[in-house]
Amino acid sequence: MDYNTSEIESKWKKFWSKNNTYKVSNDFTKPKFYILDMFPYPSGAGLHVGHPLGYIATDIFARRKRQMGFNVLHPMGFDAFGLPAEQYAIESGIHPAISTDENIKKYIAQLDNIGFNYDWSRSVKTSDPSYYKWTQWIFLQLFDHYYDNNENKAKKIENLVAQFKKNGTEDINTQNSQEEDFSAAEWNGYSPLEKNDILMNYRLAYQKIGYVNWCEELGTVLANDEVKDGVSERGGYPVEKRAMKQWSLRITAYAERLLNDLETVDWSESLKAMQRNWIGKSVGAQLFFNVTNSEQKIEVFTTRPDTIFGATYMVLAPEHDLVSLLTTDEQKEKIEAYIAYSNSRSERERMSDIKEVTGAFTGAYAINPFTNKNIPIWIGDYVLKDYGTGAIMAVPSDDDRDKAFAQKFDLQIIDVVDKSDYPNATLKDKIGKIINSDFLNGLDVKKAIKTALNAIVEKGIGNRKINYKLRDANYSRQRYWGEPFPIKYNKDGVALPINELPHQLPNLDDFKPANGGKSPLARNTDWVNKETGYRRETDTMPGFAGSSWYYLRYMDATNQNALASKESINYWESVDLYVGGTEHAVGHLMYSRFWNKFLFDLGITKTVEPFKKLINQGMIQGVIEFLYLQKEKENGKSVFVSAEIAKNNRAKDYAKIPVHIDYISNYGQSDSNLNAEGIQQFLNWRPVYKGAKFVSKDGVFIDGQEENEKIKIVTKSEVGKMSKRYFNVVNPDDMVSKYGADCFRMYEMFLGPIEQSKPWDTNGIDGVSKFLRKFWALYQKEDAWIVNEDQPTADELKILHLTIKKINDDIEKFSFNTAVSAFMVCVNELRSNKCHKRAILEPLVKLIAPFAPFISEELWHKFGYSTSIHHSEYPIHNETYLKEDSIEYPISVNGKKRASVMIPSDATKEEAEAIALSIDDVQKWIDGKDIRKVIFVPKRMVNIVV
RNA sequence: GCCCGGGUGGUGGAAUUGGUAGACACGCAAGACUUAAAAUCUUGUGAACAUAGUUCGUGCGGGUUCGAUUCCCGCCCCGGGUACCA
């Protein structure tokens, strides 16, 4: 029989599913290993060759662990709720429930084609009511808890209510949005709605009115990590700040634990650094400034209290609450104009002209508590509303932005830090000697910070304070395709839990986002008012809700009574090895850690961290062909000027239109001419450009109608994301049907280190394909099974055991490219030895099984076994076969290689040196010179220094 | 700007973390088989001289060492993250 991949694959796929080969038992007596991939969202485009990169690696790892006797959990599921799935549904017009189910089917078929060992009975789908029942349950727990800073854990809100009843806010130390101060009597006198509002200040899932990232195009608000460069991460639409009442999660309560526990996990340094930056802890002082002729105080946060003598003015964020209170009548007009100006600027514009400082004077003055001088209060949008207190004390002598501001508006600058001893220091560096600062004069900056802090505390004008960049996570989405909040409001507007879970998402035909910040669910008034006297919450949860805890569900995926049973959580504990892309560095990975810690506080999870070890796989990229056209508007129609004549224009004015490779090869290679037919094809294929006018060097061309004018089209290729919209998706199914799943798997691994991103390129796949055929030929020649029972030679045993050792080490290091190479070396050597011996080939087929499950299963059964090779024992190398009688050593004199010699492998250092020095060639080189040193590096070399 | 990675043949990438740089594969070249092509197999393949050898060679410039792709100092370039963070 020839090596026929498709025949072998379909045979063993059936065998595995019939025999439940990959069923994961809850056999709690075995040692466990939990290995997980980040689950995909089932997009309509299906899997492309980039997705399986990480899945193949974990599959190899999981199969080997299983062969080694571990009970391995290596599940797969689908992140079906959320924006991507919904956007696809809107574009295609198909209901997301239907399209996601279809897509999931497609995904499963594609994944099975590659031969993964998933136990589909443990699969999860975040949009399934039996799953989101528990997402909602966790939300209700968050709603029902607050964070106690004394005990450093989440506690039930009823404890807090009991305290309020007894002592008001006295002696409480909690994590909250604003400081509150009321007595027990006051609390007891509050209305239900007032109580509701106050408790929202403490709950871990709470409602507040805040400035949020509103995306008009998507019709929803977004979390901070869903916004990149001022536009939505998904779709790239503009995002603006808007004040809205929204649900939030108090992740900031866990900031310190999220930061500290990074020390305990085995993640890459760069990833940990990203999380540290995102949390952004800074230590400094909270300070209050009095305002002249006013009761108001301005609170600021500073990391540099030592520079307070240089604080010559203050700046508030334009949105700051005090702005309207403080502004004097004379300045009112200017301030209002400035606020209008800064509101009109999008986030993006603000970022793009960072160097430009803008602001306006309020007319009010604060008092510097140390110099007692009046300092002007300004507003400016370089001060951010939602970092720190939204107000700063400006020290223009020691801060770049303050300096630029002071110079522009001609404000006083007092030098307070002498940096003359540090010529390379920038304003930001905390070094130098304090000057012009009364009692701080002459102190080193570090010392001065402490001294100033003490003085501030003593004066009663401030405190030590730790500030975080991390902000509470916005948790409301005005979209249809998400978990409905299990929340209802009574007549008073008090938010109450809906405890009958799952709280089902109604089946709506009209699921498109609505304008004006209302969720599509709000249109369904029957559903909203289903319970008389109550109104249901109509927002839905964001995409990260379901993905924040899915790793727990796999442990006990069908449990009806809990998110997972206590026993299974105690057994599987947490994910031993998690593999996924860096794009989730601060989103998913931060939220999961937060939820896991919260569930730990509740006694549900067993470990504080969900993912012990994490490997970031790189992205497989695609080549994108871009058509460069100058795009202009003329009477509302698009006009494209060919790149040839647009060359003199600025590059950023070009329309970069991704085009299909086939299209390019049919209608003109780079730099060739596009004729009328070509233009027509282009327009048909991208209806968006219908009616567009093309202007070429030789004339005008409207919608392909005008005469045979030729337009020079110039395409340029770029490496980028593999995506449907770039027409560069390569489907793994095609690879599998052409080369076989084993070949596809090994080739993806052979491409390079798993962490690295690289463009997809099939150029080398023949090498792997050839290797598999050679491998097959060791066992089978045409129809004959040619494995014999001969005794292996020492050389052959050495090849085998070296390979076992190498493969073993490589898998442990997650270095699969070198592992594949090692197989190639091994097979090449066995081939040249004409070795067809069972003693060598049977262990080898076990060794390769994790990499190439199909071919190995086929050969395994040919050896006469009836059970799957994936339940066989993993071969372990034997050191005795690797020992050699003598080893060839290069001998060098003064670092130059002069000779080589065979030295017995058990020779002592002295013996080795003596043998080396006795060689004639070496004698010639050291003749007459003194030997200073003989360096003998075991298993390496001998170097003689003269 | 700041914080992480990284820079090795024509290409993807190895190198036991200080010990013969370029494993393995692609590509290319020559040869065998074939009427021919494909496939397959064999050989060669860092560069320059020399054609058995020599010299140079891991982004650039220095340093430590008997010996540096690896360690140290100073630059250049590429990728990722982040950004008025007070």
Side-chain angles (χ1 to χ4, degrees), chain A residues 61-96:
Chain A
F61 206 93
R63 284 174 188 274
R64 189 183 72 115
K65 280 276 175 190
R66 194 159 292 161
Q67 282 180 313
M68 289 171 85
F70 285 84
N71 191 15
V72 178
L73 181 55
H74 178 222
M76 178 52 74
F78 301 95
D79 191 12
F81 262 148
L83 272 179
E86 183 166 2
Q87 279 303 104
Y88 174 74
I90 290 167
E91 282 157 26
S92 65
I94 304 167
H95 194 280

Side-chain angles (χ1 to χ4, degrees), chain A residues 635-654:
Chain A
N635 304 329
K637 282 189 174 177
S638 296
V639 176
F640 294 103
V641 180
S642 81
E644 191 193 30
I645 54 169
K647 241 169 214 161
N648 299 328
N649 293 312
R650 288 181 304 162
K652 70 172 195 180
D653 296 333
Y654 282 80

Side-chain angles (χ1 to χ4, degrees), chain A residues 103 129 151 153 161 226 285 431 592 640 670 736 750 868 891:
Chain A
N103 294 342
E151 291 183 38
K153 63 182 279 194
V161 173
E226 292 170 320
I431 43 175
S592 296
F640 294 103
S670 301
V736 168
F750 186 65
S868 169
I891 301 176

Side-chain angles (χ1 to χ4, degrees), chain A residues 835-854:
Chain A
C835 172
H836 302 286
K837 297 168 184 169
R838 184 190 187 111
I840 302 295
L841 295 181
E842 195 178 306
L844 193 60
V845 77
K846 288 202 237 175
L847 190 66
I848 207 171
F851 292 81
F854 291 104

Side-chain angles (χ1 to χ4, degrees), chain A residues 238-297:
Chain A
V239 171
E240 56 182 287
K241 290 277 179 197
R242 231 195 226 193
M244 290 175 79
K245 193 172 192 182
Q246 299 279 306
W247 285 96
S248 287
L249 298 188
R250 205 176 299 284
I251 189 171
T252 48
Y254 286 83
E256 192 65 26
R257 284 165 69 183
L258 287 168
L259 185 67
N260 290 339
D261 291 346
L262 280 175
E263 306 298 327
T264 68
V265 292
D266 183 5
W267 296 11
S268 73
E269 260 323 300
S270 70
L271 199 80
K272 287 193 200 177
M274 272 190 232
Q275 291 223 335
R276 282 192 202 105
N277 283 340
W278 194 261
I279 296 168
K281 179 180 182 177
S282 51
V283 182
Q286 166 194 45
L287 255 178
F288 292 92
F289 281 68
N290 288 320
V291 179
T292 58
N293 310 320
S294 168
E295 293 288 290
Q296 299 296 337
K297 284 169 189 265

Side-chain angles (χ1 to χ4, degrees), chain A residues 130-144:
Chain A
S130 69
Y131 179 88
Y132 70 67
K133 172 181 177 180
W134 298 106
T135 311
Q136 290 170 328
W137 183 83
I138 296 169
F139 171 81
L140 285 183
Q141 299 310 307
L142 286 160
F143 179 70
D144 199 37

